[in-house]
């Protein structure tokens, strides 16, 4: 299955202070960023995508990736990955 990475908006936290066990922990400096690459471990190898790249993956992994979504800045839900029918693959 050929899967293409489209990118995503995510919230990145810059620092953490306090204790997570007792509940006094807090995060500071978080901001929203647009991610242009991602890595996924499929059990045997790391799959590394950059925006617009296409990789050939197993059917089960492909179905999982196609379900991953994020909420864009304008409030619409978008897919991080999409299936493509024919492209030059970067097989890792």
């Amino acid at each position: 299955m050929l899967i293409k990475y489209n990118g995503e908006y995510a919230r990145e936290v810059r620092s953490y202070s306090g204790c997570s066990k007792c509940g006094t922990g807090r995060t500071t400096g978080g901001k929203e960023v647009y991610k242009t690459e991602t890595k996924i471990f499929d059990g045997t190898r790391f799959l590394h995508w950059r925006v617009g790249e296409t990789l050939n993956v197993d059917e089960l992994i492909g179905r999982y990736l196609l379900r991953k979504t994020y909420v864009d800045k304008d409030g619409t839900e978008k897919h991080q990955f999409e299936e493509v029918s024919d492209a030059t693959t970067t097989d890792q």
Side-chain angles (χ1 to χ4, degrees), residues 2 4 52-55 84-90:
L2 295 174
K4 178 179 151 186
E53 285 186 346
T54 304
L55 292 178
V84 293
S85 57
D86 186 21
T88 305
T89 63
T90 308

Side-chain angles (χ1 to χ4, degrees), residues 60-77:
L60 183 64
I61 301 294
R63 287 197 311 255
Y64 163 74
L65 294 173
L66 291 175
R67 288 193 312 260
K68 293 182 65 104
T69 60
Y70 69 96
V71 178
D72 203 359
K73 283 189 171 190
D74 59 2
T76 60
E77 188 174 13

